[in-house]
Amino acid sequence: MFRIGMLTSGGDCQALNAAMRGVVKGICSKIQNVEIYGFQEGYKGLIYSNFKMLTSKDFSGILTLGGTILGTSRQPFKMMRVPDEDGLDKVEAMKHTYHKLNLNCLVVLGGNGTHKTANMLREEGLNVITLPKTIDNDLWGTDMTFGFQSAVDIATDTIDRIHTTATSHSRVFIIEVMGHKVGWVTLHAGIAGGADIILLPEIPYDIDVVVDAINKRKDAGKRFTIIAVAEGAISKEDASLSKKELKAKQAKNSYPSVAYEISEKIQKKTDQEVRITVPGHTQRGGSPCAYDRVLATRLGAAAAEAIMDGDFGNMVAVRNNETVRVPLAEVAGKLKYVTPTSDIIKEAKLTGISFGDA
Amino acid sequence: MFRIGMLTSGGDCQALNAAMRGVVKGICSKIQNVEIYGFQEGYKGLIYSNFKMLTSKDFSGILTLGGTILGTSRQPFKMMRVPDEDGLDKVEAMKHTYHKLNLNCLVVLGGNGTHKTANMLREEGLNVITLPKTIDNDLWGTDMTFGFQSAVDIATDTIDRIHTTATSHSRVFIIEVMGHKVGWVTLHAGIAGGADIILLPEIPYDIDVVVDAINKRKDAGKRFTIIAVAEGAISKEDASLSKKELKAKQAKNSYPSVAYEISEKIQKKTDQEVRITVPGHTQRGGSPCAYDRVLATRLGAAAAEAIMDGDFGNMVAVRNNETVRVPLAEVAGKLKYVTPTSDIIKEAKLTGISFGDA
Amino acid sequence: MFRIGMLTSGGDCQALNAAMRGVVKGICSKIQNVEIYGFQEGYKGLIYSNFKMLTSKDFSGILTLGGTILGTSRQPFKMMRVPDEDGLDKVEAMKHTYHKLNLNCLVVLGGNGTHKTANMLREEGLNVITLPKTIDNDLWGTDMTFGFQSAVDIATDTIDRIHTTATSHSRVFIIEVMGHKVGWVTLHAGIAGGADIILLPEIPYDIDVVVDAINKRKDAGKRFTIIAVAEGAISKEDASLSKKELKAKQAKNSYPSVAYEISEKIQKKTDQEVRITVPGHTQRGGSPCAYDRVLATRLGAAAAEAIMDGDFGNMVAVRNNETVRVPLAEVAGKLKYVTPTSDIIKEAKLTGISFGDA
Amino acid sequence: MFRIGMLTSGGDCQALNAAMRGVVKGICSKIQNVEIYGFQEGYKGLIYSNFKMLTSKDFSGILTLGGTILGTSRQPFKMMRVPDEDGLDKVEAMKHTYHKLNLNCLVVLGGNGTHKTANMLREEGLNVITLPKTIDNDLWGTDMTFGFQSAVDIATDTIDRIHTTATSHSRVFIIEVMGHKVGWVTLHAGIAGGADIILLPEIPYDIDVVVDAINKRKDAGKRFTIIAVAEGAISKEDASLSKKELKAKQAKNSYPSVAYEISEKIQKKTDQEVRITVPGHTQRGGSPCAYDRVLATRLGAAAAEAIMDGDFGNMVAVRNNETVRVPLAEVAGKLKYVTPTSDIIKEAKLTGISFGDA
């Protein structure tokens, strides 16, 4: 009997089910007696030994299904070593569940925080395999994470719709795009949606440069300006502050999100009306796009191979279109940022997009 | 020579271009020498004599194009009789433009405010034909307005995407849907998206009934509750206030929109996390759905017929799937509300949807 | 205990699951002890007593799901009275199953053929309620059937995509649209997709008129012509033949479908290249559009009401946006055709669309 | 004055306009006086000196537009050296047009055939830069071509829709996917759509293996089998024939396309009904997906850079997410096939997909 534990952790995204289907189909095509323990709502299920016994049938027909059939929750890494309200040591609890169920391995699908915890479990001696799940595409060690392209599609669709309104009304439109601390989704959706200005965390913006770009468009007879703003975008001044100073400053203002802050700045410095659109959680929802289904299926199958090879302690990743195994120790705690001097940024600038930086 | 003026006014929506294409194709198929004056940015173009000469070619290939090729702007009816900053009488200015250009008629596409002004122009002696354009579907005299079904599609897509996230996380999700003072878009998107609770302006909600519905779902083991809220939704207490009292009350609070108010109320009375999504302007944007293209094309052709019949002073409307002409005098200033006792509300309730009212 | 039998028959379409969900949610919100017998694969399940016991949970979460969770099959009405290979009288078998299970009523979702059998079962004394399911919209007695608008959306999307290719290449494009013997889907998708020529069964075409319309476009400098053809489209000559003569003629030629026949005729009479696209079964597939979900939910709830009223022998229908009950005896065996002199045809012609008839 | 000639050749695809917009925006952001000669309908426009003078404005707003604003046509490479009916030497004619207009360079967007001709023009001394356009993704020298991902999306959507019908009816469904002589689109759409069997030109199929896979599914209680077939799929026997023998064999049969051939074979060897869907030209049409818009914009900008560097004779390509320049001499005449032993095929097989080969 081969026993696999599986969990999805962190914010949900598209193709989680597709990836789990890949893992299970891969293993069950080669191994006869497999028991699958589906832990409910992320690490919580592992901590409190809350799971469902699943069979390969439960993973049939879920390739196109959004969300995760296991449920998920956020369990901050920094809280893992802090006993919970009942005094329970969460790490020991997870190890206990793993050993009690006599698991051969634990398959974890998640993003950055999830990988830190997964790496800790590896250090504690568990057989762990992870899959890179996040719309943010900020996981170090893989060219691409599943969920990303679907989120880009949705954010692009939002910009497309705003575009038709923009051509009808004379205004500045800000679309705030998800991505946590990195700008990948905003960069791609911004280019794909034909945004005039793209503001990313990796390229702190100068509001005067932004205003300049808006005014130049107006002077050239363009009726509108579209700005794609990453939720983590930051101004030059704020980027020069210490973490503590920044927190203090943010505590004083009361912008619901960064788009509102930038909107106010623009309205102070121009005579233009500004409209804000925040697609928010829709960027994580719905059926995965074809790209993500292929990627997730491939990574799932590659994880199955690694499991059958007995090669644990890795994240299954994609590099140059090939699936590879990257040691968790290398992945955990590192973010993959957009490089301000990369090809794609240079190309975007060449087509006239302003990043608010010069 | 036959001279037509045309303008689109108010917020933009899908199928404006499709409707204008229908008008122009209809007229040009029967009349040889037609001059089309496209007034820019709504009534503003008529007031300040800002127009483009267009030919039937300009209306070719725009059936699927979102927005309006004429541009639009909001010109509040109540400001029409108020001279502008230069002392210009706007009504006289519009009449002047109309007569100066020797127009045979003026085709106006717009919603409620637009129709009040159009009716006034009729009273002032102009030959006016209007088309019912609004995502809100609140125009009196027609079963349906174009833009409505496209907006329902987009709002439904938003609820669909949130649904997959909802099944993964245990939360209450509020989606705030457009619709101005009426609940048509919210009602249809709410039913189509499988919302558990739908809150409309026409059915003031009791927050305790809402909370009750949420708790009942939780008790029944459901992990989430989806609430579709119309932007004009109102509580029972607020609905009992005078306009003045309500304004005073709203001035004191600082909710960005109604969804935030309801979210706060729910969080006070339950232990559930609440997430808000506001698709906003995307509901007006992008290519019209097939339904709206057919409706807009039909109404455009029907308007062309009315023009060629010399039958002015009407809104072209659809009733029981037939196109009809409704006197502007009957339409102007009247809103079409959702009837709380109508079939569709009763049917929605029977399937278990709560409207927060009992 | 209240016992309901339910089945879906004929070709599948969108919103079948949405409709069944409406029925079940409606009944279970009012009646405590309900047993639901889901007959598998249409009347076949009733004949051979092949069913699954279902609970309201089985109908949760299927609002957006394409296909039918019960499966379906075609059981031609004219074969119903013919004993099957084992000598089984199918009508008696269905009655036997119904009575053996002590059903209170039978809910049938289907199109034309299905309704003939349903009416026969009513005549045989069963309590039958039907719902109008078909993409063809050809059911007599209802303004609209669910499935129709979703099929129109897909056929329109096909024409849209062909349009972009058409503008790049100089050709005639034929898109063959489903609809059985009637032209509803083709008419609506043709108008929505901006087809230049629309050919319907209800308006037999003259190939010379079609060729004329193509040539006129070419002479006017248009690079392409888009023709939307109903799968049941017919030429004037063929329409004048007797059924027998027509069958003999069709037996001789070997066109895979009507689009190929028309293509050949056009290529004989013009120098234009012709390309054919047949979206086929995709027109029945995928998640229902918002319109169909609302319609199906309403009809489902209305069927639940009828059942609880004990008012059987009807099809639940929609007329002027209200749900009504139409006696099966009136519905069975009648087709709802497009009227060649109706408003919508006249309006389409006014915008320049040729129906190949003059 | 800087003079650029531009043309799109071969079958149209998504993102052609996006790519040209990238080129023009890139150049016009750096060079003041640019003249753009848009040759009409591919090489034909260059041969017969049929062009439009375009400005950067003509390329504004076309990022999302399907098709090509220049039009296109197929001009087989092997016909280039054959004088046309008027005795015109086409190659000399193209050189003549190029020199007569005093062009600085010629930008060519196209697929395989197009690149052969482009390389010949380079050998004839013209400054040529090419961009890899094709839904087939079969161009040697680039990881990806634009158009491919959009075609995958559409083919996947087709399989998705068929899937819902498949779950309702017991049948075998064949979806025939475009891709010319290679299997890229079919492979990706097949995995993304959850096809059970995928047949590619690169992996000749054994019909008995295919039938076996179908029967195994039936025996396992699955009601349907989905087969994604590349239009260039070939059986083992046919793959072993010489080109001449194959042509002779194909001349004898009369299958409209490969799907019909395979369908007949399956129906001979099983008792299952088979349904065929051919999305055809829709796979090339409509607005490009976000992925293709980003890729095309990047390649366009990279082409602009190459032009401004005076570095001609290359195809602009993407490798490992970076844009590179690949000598035309290396690209011309080579096809990029799916490798039967590649990671993605192995992973697909591991998840249970049959390629009909063992």
Side-chain angles (χ1 to χ4, degrees):
Chain A
M1 182 61 63
F2 199 81
R3 291 184 191 81
I4 299 171
M6 185 137 52
L7 64 86
T8 55
S9 177
D12 76 319
C13 80
Q14 300 92 343
L16 276 167
N17 289 326
M20 291 193 282
R21 170 181 174 273
V23 175
V24 170
K25 285 210 161 194
I27 290 174
C28 295
S29 74
K30 298 283 180 187
I31 302 181
Q32 286 265 307
N33 290 307
V34 181
E35 275 182 8
I36 305 164
Y37 296 78
F39 294 104
Q40 305 293 293
E41 307 203 10
Y43 286 120
K44 223 198 263 184
L46 188 59
I47 295 168
Y48 301 103
S49 197
N50 181 16
F51 60 84
K52 276 193 194 152
M53 297 297 300
L54 301 167
T55 70
S56 64
K57 266 195 189 169
D58 293 303
F59 295 88
S60 188
I62 65 170
L63 171 63
T64 65
L65 194 67
T68 157
I69 59 170
L70 299 183
T72 184
S73 66
R74 291 183 195 272
Q75 299 293 316
F77 174 68
K78 59 182 175 189
M79 297 301 293
M80 280 297 174
R81 290 291 184 187
V82 180
D84 79 354
E85 50 235 32
D86 301 326
L88 184 75
D89 182 310
K90 298 192 201 80
V91 178
E92 289 307 316
M94 289 193 281
K95 287 163 64 180
H96 180 77
T97 303
Y98 181 94
H99 292 303
K100 183 189 71 182
L101 298 175
N102 212 0
L103 297 182
N104 291 77
C105 70
L106 180 69
V107 180
V108 174
L109 299 91
N112 264 297
T114 302
H115 273 79
K116 283 192 238 172
T117 299
N119 187 43
M120 185 184 60
L121 292 176
R122 178 194 63 80
E123 289 168 350
E124 296 283 338
L126 308 196
N127 291 335
V128 180
I129 284 280
T130 68
L131 287 97
K133 164 244 78 156
T134 167
I135 64 164
D136 303 334
N137 193 28
D138 61 352
L139 265 168
W140 194 90
T142 187
D143 287 354
M144 194 58 72
T145 60
F146 54 82
F148 169 70
Q149 192 62 48
S150 299
V152 169
D153 282 2
I154 298 165
T156 301
D157 182 68
T158 300
I159 304 180
D160 281 356
R161 293 195 184 281
I162 294 301
H163 239 118
T164 66
T165 284
T167 58
S168 310
H169 296 271
S170 292
R171 287 171 187 163
V172 172
F173 288 85
I174 300 179
I175 295 100
E176 185 178 304
V177 178
M178 276 189 167
H180 207 219
K181 296 179 184 170
V182 306
W184 290 108
V185 184
T186 310
L187 175 60
H188 283 252
I191 295 174
D196 306 299
I197 300 171
I198 296 177
L199 304 181
L200 309 178
E202 293 90 343
I203 307 178
Y205 67 87
D206 180 336
I207 192 66
D208 290 322
V209 174
V210 172
V211 165
D212 222 52
I214 294 170
N215 288 335
K216 261 188 201 146
R217 282 184 59 83
K218 214 189 166 182
D219 294 348
K222 316 265 177 150
R223 303 185 67 211
F224 64 87
T225 298
I226 303 261
I227 309 179
V229 175
E231 60 175 330
I234 191 166
S235 68
K236 277 196 172 163
E237 309 91 73
D238 286 0
S240 69
L241 298 179
S242 71
K243 257 196 177 178
K244 209 176 145 186
E245 290 169 323
L246 184 59
K247 259 201 166 161
K249 186 176 171 186
Q250 286 172 339
K252 265 190 283 180
N253 76 43
S254 62
Y255 302 113
S257 68
V258 69
Y260 292 85
E261 183 182 347
I262 293 171
S263 167
E264 196 178 290
K265 287 177 182 170
I266 291 171
Q267 284 177 313
K268 265 188 196 152
K269 299 200 171 207
T270 73
D271 58 347
Q272 299 234 34
E273 262 187 88
V274 182
R275 285 284 183 284
I276 293 168
T277 305
V278 185
H281 276 75
T282 57
Q283 291 165 86
R284 312 180 155 285
S287 186
C289 69
Y291 183 99
D292 276 338
R293 295 189 207 168
V294 173
L295 177 60
T297 300
R298 292 190 59 186
L299 290 173
E305 266 197 314
I307 290 168
M308 292 184 296
D309 288 351
D311 185 8
F312 299 108
N314 296 306
M315 174 176 82
V316 178
V318 66
R319 288 197 191 154
N320 303 342
N321 285 319
E322 288 179 15
T323 48
V324 295
R325 300 168 192 171
V326 185
L328 278 174
E330 283 182 30
V331 174
K334 270 187 263 179
L335 281 188
K336 183 180 68 182
Y337 290 100
V338 174
T339 308
T341 55
S342 58
D343 269 22
I344 186 169
I345 297 285
K346 277 191 252 169
E347 288 149 3
K349 285 184 175 178
L350 195 58
T351 65
I353 296 173
S354 168
F355 288 81
D357 64 334
Chain B
M1 182 61 63
F2 199 82
R3 290 183 192 81
I4 298 172
M6 185 138 51
L7 63 87
T8 54
S9 177
D12 77 318
C13 79
Q14 299 92 342
L16 276 167
N17 290 325
M20 291 193 282
R21 171 181 173 273
V23 175
V24 171
K25 285 210 162 195
I27 290 174
C28 294
S29 75
K30 297 283 180 187
I31 302 181
Q32 286 265 310
N33 290 306
V34 181
E35 275 182 8
I36 305 163
Y37 296 78
F39 295 104
Q40 304 293 293
E41 307 202 11
Y43 286 119
K44 224 199 263 184
L46 189 59
I47 296 169
Y48 301 103
S49 197
N50 181 14
F51 59 85
K52 277 194 193 150
M53 298 296 301
L54 301 168
T55 70
S56 64
K57 267 195 187 168
D58 294 301
F59 295 88
S60 188
I62 64 170
L63 171 62
T64 65
L65 194 68
T68 157
I69 59 170
L70 300 184
T72 184
S73 66
R74 292 183 194 273
Q75 299 293 318
F77 174 68
K78 59 182 175 189
M79 297 299 293
M80 279 297 174
R81 289 290 184 188
V82 180
D84 77 355
E85 51 236 32
D86 301 325
L88 184 76
D89 183 309
K90 298 193 200 81
V91 178
E92 289 307 315
M94 289 193 282
K95 287 163 63 181
H96 179 77
T97 303
Y98 181 94
H99 292 303
K100 182 189 72 182
L101 298 175
N102 212 359
L103 298 182
N104 291 77
C105 69
L106 180 69
V107 180
V108 174
L109 299 91
N112 264 297
T114 302
H115 273 79
K116 283 191 237 170
T117 300
N119 187 43
M120 183 184 61
L121 293 176
R122 179 194 63 81
E123 290 168 349
E124 296 283 337
L126 308 196
N127 291 336
V128 181
I129 284 281
T130 68
L131 287 97
K133 165 242 79 157
T134 168
I135 64 165
D136 304 333
N137 194 28
D138 61 351
L139 266 167
W140 195 91
T142 187
D143 287 354
M144 193 58 72
T145 60
F146 54 83
F148 169 70
Q149 192 62 47
S150 299
V152 169
D153 282 2
I154 298 165
T156 301
D157 182 68
T158 300
I159 304 179
D160 282 356
R161 293 194 184 281
I162 294 300
H163 239 119
T164 67
T165 285
T167 57
S168 310
H169 296 272
S170 293
R171 289 172 187 161
V172 172
F173 289 85
I174 300 179
I175 295 101
E176 185 178 305
V177 178
M178 277 189 165
H180 207 219
K181 296 180 183 168
V182 306
W184 291 107
V185 184
T186 310
L187 174 61
H188 282 253
I191 296 174
D196 307 299
I197 300 171
I198 296 177
L199 304 182
L200 309 178
E202 293 90 343
I203 307 178
Y205 67 87
D206 179 335
I207 192 66
D208 289 323
V209 174
V210 172
V211 165
D212 222 52
I214 294 170
N215 288 335
K216 260 187 200 145
R217 282 185 59 83
K218 214 188 166 182
D219 295 347
K222 316 265 177 151
R223 302 186 66 211
F224 65 88
T225 297
I226 302 262
I227 309 179
V229 175
E231 59 175 329
I234 191 167
S235 68
K236 278 197 171 161
E237 310 90 73
D238 286 1
S240 68
L241 298 180
S242 71
K243 258 196 177 178
K244 208 174 146 188
E245 290 169 323
L246 184 58
K247 258 201 166 160
K249 186 177 171 186
Q250 285 171 340
K252 265 190 282 180
N253 77 42
S254 62
Y255 302 112
S257 67
V258 69
Y260 291 85
E261 182 182 347
I262 294 171
S263 168
E264 196 178 290
K265 287 177 183 172
I266 292 171
Q267 283 177 314
K268 266 189 197 152
K269 299 200 171 208
T270 73
D271 58 348
Q272 300 234 34
E273 261 188 89
V274 182
R275 286 283 183 284
I276 293 168
T277 305
V278 185
H281 276 74
T282 56
Q283 292 165 87
R284 313 179 156 285
S287 185
C289 68
Y291 183 99
D292 276 339
R293 296 189 206 168
V294 173
L295 177 60
T297 300
R298 292 190 60 186
L299 290 174
E305 266 196 315
I307 290 169
M308 293 185 296
D309 288 351
D311 185 9
F312 299 109
N314 295 308
M315 175 176 81
V316 177
V318 65
R319 288 197 192 154
N320 304 341
N321 285 319
E322 288 179 15
T323 48
V324 295
R325 301 168 191 171
V326 185
L328 279 174
E330 284 182 31
V331 174
K334 270 187 262 178
L335 281 188
K336 183 180 68 184
Y337 290 100
V338 174
T339 308
T341 55
S342 58
D343 268 21
I344 186 169
I345 296 284
K346 277 190 252 168
E347 287 149 3
K349 285 185 174 176
L350 194 59
T351 66
I353 296 173
S354 168
F355 287 81
D357 64 333
Chain C
M1 183 62 61
F2 199 82
R3 291 184 192 80
I4 299 172
M6 184 137 53
L7 65 85
T8 54
S9 177
D12 77 320
C13 79
Q14 300 93 342
L16 275 167
N17 289 325
M20 291 194 282
R21 171 182 173 271
V23 175
V24 171
K25 285 210 162 196
I27 290 173
C28 294
S29 75
K30 298 283 180 188
I31 302 180
Q32 287 265 307
N33 290 306
V34 181
E35 276 183 8
I36 305 163
Y37 296 77
F39 294 105
Q40 304 292 293
E41 308 202 10
Y43 287 119
K44 223 197 264 185
L46 188 60
I47 296 168
Y48 301 104
S49 197
N50 182 15
F51 58 85
K52 278 195 192 149
M53 298 296 301
L54 301 168
T55 70
S56 64
K57 268 195 190 171
D58 294 302
F59 296 88
S60 188
I62 65 170
L63 171 62
T64 65
L65 194 67
T68 157
I69 60 170
L70 300 183
T72 183
S73 66
R74 293 184 193 274
Q75 299 293 318
F77 174 69
K78 58 183 176 189
M79 297 300 291
M80 280 298 174
R81 290 288 184 188
V82 180
D84 77 356
E85 50 236 34
D86 300 326
L88 184 76
D89 183 309
K90 298 192 200 82
V91 178
E92 289 307 315
M94 289 193 281
K95 286 163 64 179
H96 178 77
T97 302
Y98 181 94
H99 292 303
K100 180 189 72 181
L101 298 174
N102 211 359
L103 298 182
N104 291 78
C105 70
L106 180 69
V107 180
V108 174
L109 298 91
N112 263 298
T114 302
H115 273 79
K116 283 193 237 171
T117 300
N119 186 44
M120 183 184 61
L121 292 176
R122 179 194 64 80
E123 289 168 349
E124 296 282 339
L126 308 196
N127 292 333
V128 180
I129 285 280
T130 67
L131 287 97
K133 166 245 76 157
T134 168
I135 64 164
D136 303 334
N137 193 30
D138 61 352
L139 265 167
W140 195 91
T142 186
D143 287 353
M144 193 59 71
T145 61
F146 55 82
F148 169 70
Q149 192 62 48
S150 299
V152 169
D153 282 1
I154 297 165
T156 302
D157 183 67
T158 300
I159 304 180
D160 282 355
R161 293 193 184 282
I162 295 301
H163 239 120
T164 68
T165 284
T167 58
S168 310
H169 297 271
S170 293
R171 289 172 185 161
V172 172
F173 289 85
I174 300 179
I175 295 99
E176 184 179 304
V177 178
M178 277 190 165
H180 208 217
K181 296 181 184 168
V182 306
W184 291 108
V185 183
T186 310
L187 174 61
H188 282 253
I191 296 175
D196 306 301
I197 299 170
I198 296 176
L199 304 181
L200 309 179
E202 293 91 342
I203 307 178
Y205 67 87
D206 179 336
I207 193 65
D208 289 323
V209 174
V210 172
V211 165
D212 221 52
I214 294 170
N215 288 336
K216 262 189 199 144
R217 281 185 59 83
K218 213 189 167 182
D219 295 347
K222 316 265 177 151
R223 303 185 66 212
F224 65 89
T225 297
I226 303 262
I227 309 179
V229 175
E231 60 176 328
I234 190 165
S235 68
K236 278 197 171 162
E237 309 90 74
D238 286 1
S240 69
L241 299 178
S242 71
K243 258 194 177 180
K244 208 175 147 188
E245 290 169 323
L246 184 58
K247 259 200 166 161
K249 184 175 173 188
Q250 285 171 341
K252 265 190 283 179
N253 77 43
S254 64
Y255 302 112
S257 65
V258 70
Y260 292 84
E261 182 181 348
I262 294 172
S263 167
E264 196 178 291
K265 288 177 182 170
I266 292 171
Q267 283 177 313
K268 265 188 197 153
K269 300 201 170 207
T270 73
D271 58 348
Q272 299 234 33
E273 261 188 88
V274 182
R275 287 284 183 284
I276 293 168
T277 305
V278 185
H281 276 74
T282 58
Q283 292 165 86
R284 312 179 156 284
S287 186
C289 69
Y291 184 98
D292 275 338
R293 296 189 205 168
V294 172
L295 177 60
T297 300
R298 290 190 61 185
L299 290 173
E305 264 195 317
I307 290 168
M308 293 185 296
D309 287 352
D311 185 9
F312 299 108
N314 296 306
M315 174 177 80
V316 178
V318 65
R319 288 198 192 153
N320 304 341
N321 286 317
E322 287 179 17
T323 48
V324 295
R325 301 168 191 171
V326 185
L328 278 173
E330 285 182 29
V331 174
K334 271 187 261 177
L335 281 188
K336 183 180 67 184
Y337 290 100
V338 174
T339 308
T341 55
S342 59
D343 269 20
I344 186 168
I345 297 285
K346 278 190 250 167
E347 287 148 4
K349 285 185 174 176
L350 195 57
T351 66
I353 296 172
S354 167
F355 288 81
D357 64 334
Chain D
M1 183 61 63
F2 199 83
R3 291 185 191 79
I4 300 171
M6 185 137 53
L7 64 85
T8 55
S9 176
D12 76 319
C13 80
Q14 300 92 344
L16 276 167
N17 290 325
M20 291 194 281
R21 170 182 175 271
V23 175
V24 171
K25 285 210 163 195
I27 290 174
C28 295
S29 75
K30 297 284 180 186
I31 301 180
Q32 287 264 309
N33 289 306
V34 181
E35 276 182 8
I36 306 164
Y37 296 77
F39 295 104
Q40 304 294 293
E41 307 202 11
Y43 286 119
K44 221 198 264 184
L46 189 59
I47 296 168
Y48 301 104
S49 197
N50 181 14
F51 59 84
K52 276 194 192 152
M53 298 296 301
L54 301 169
T55 69
S56 65
K57 267 196 189 169
D58 293 303
F59 296 87
S60 188
I62 64 171
L63 171 62
T64 64
L65 194 68
T68 157
I69 59 170
L70 299 184
T72 184
S73 66
R74 292 182 194 272
Q75 299 293 317
F77 174 69
K78 58 182 176 189
M79 297 301 293
M80 280 297 174
R81 291 288 184 187
V82 180
D84 78 355
E85 50 235 33
D86 301 327
L88 183 75
D89 182 309
K90 298 193 201 81
V91 178
E92 289 306 315
M94 289 194 281
K95 285 163 65 180
H96 179 76
T97 303
Y98 181 93
H99 292 303
K100 181 189 73 181
L101 297 175
N102 211 359
L103 297 182
N104 291 77
C105 70
L106 180 69
V107 180
V108 174
L109 299 91
N112 264 298
T114 302
H115 273 79
K116 283 192 237 171
T117 300
N119 186 44
M120 184 184 61
L121 292 176
R122 179 193 64 80
E123 290 168 349
E124 296 282 339
L126 308 196
N127 292 334
V128 180
I129 284 280
T130 68
L131 287 98
K133 165 245 77 156
T134 167
I135 64 164
D136 304 334
N137 193 29
D138 62 352
L139 265 167
W140 195 91
T142 186
D143 288 354
M144 193 58 71
T145 60
F146 54 82
F148 169 69
Q149 192 62 49
S150 299
V152 169
D153 282 1
I154 297 165
T156 301
D157 182 67
T158 301
I159 304 180
D160 282 355
R161 292 195 185 281
I162 294 300
H163 240 119
T164 67
T165 284
T167 58
S168 310
H169 297 271
S170 293
R171 289 172 186 162
V172 172
F173 289 86
I174 300 180
I175 295 100
E176 184 179 305
V177 178
M178 277 190 166
H180 207 218
K181 296 179 183 169
V182 306
W184 291 107
V185 183
T186 310
L187 174 61
H188 283 253
I191 296 175
D196 306 301
I197 299 170
I198 296 176
L199 304 181
L200 309 178
E202 293 91 342
I203 307 178
Y205 67 87
D206 179 336
I207 193 65
D208 289 322
V209 175
V210 172
V211 165
D212 222 51
I214 294 170
N215 288 335
K216 261 188 200 146
R217 281 186 58 83
K218 214 190 166 182
D219 295 347
K222 315 265 177 151
R223 304 185 66 212
F224 64 88
T225 297
I226 303 262
I227 309 179
V229 175
E231 60 175 329
I234 191 165
S235 69
K236 277 196 171 162
E237 309 90 76
D238 286 0
S240 69
L241 298 179
S242 71
K243 258 196 176 178
K244 208 175 147 185
E245 291 169 324
L246 184 59
K247 259 200 165 162
K249 184 175 172 187
Q250 285 171 341
K252 264 189 284 179
N253 77 44
S254 63
Y255 302 113
S257 67
V258 70
Y260 291 85
E261 182 182 349
I262 295 172
S263 167
E264 196 177 292
K265 288 177 181 172
I266 292 172
Q267 283 177 314
K268 266 187 196 154
K269 299 200 171 209
T270 73
D271 59 347
Q272 299 234 33
E273 261 188 88
V274 182
R275 287 284 184 283
I276 293 169
T277 306
V278 185
H281 276 73
T282 58
Q283 291 165 86
R284 312 179 156 284
S287 185
C289 69
Y291 183 98
D292 275 339
R293 295 189 206 168
V294 173
L295 178 60
T297 300
R298 290 190 61 186
L299 290 173
E305 265 196 315
I307 290 168
M308 293 185 295
D309 288 350
D311 185 9
F312 299 108
N314 296 307
M315 174 177 81
V316 178
V318 66
R319 288 198 192 153
N320 304 341
N321 285 318
E322 288 179 17
T323 49
V324 295
R325 300 167 192 173
V326 185
L328 278 173
E330 286 182 29
V331 174
K334 270 187 264 178
L335 280 189
K336 184 180 67 182
Y337 290 100
V338 174
T339 308
T341 56
S342 59
D343 268 20
I344 186 168
I345 297 284
K346 278 190 253 169
E347 288 149 2
K349 285 185 174 175
L350 195 57
T351 66
I353 296 172
S354 168
F355 288 81
D357 63 335

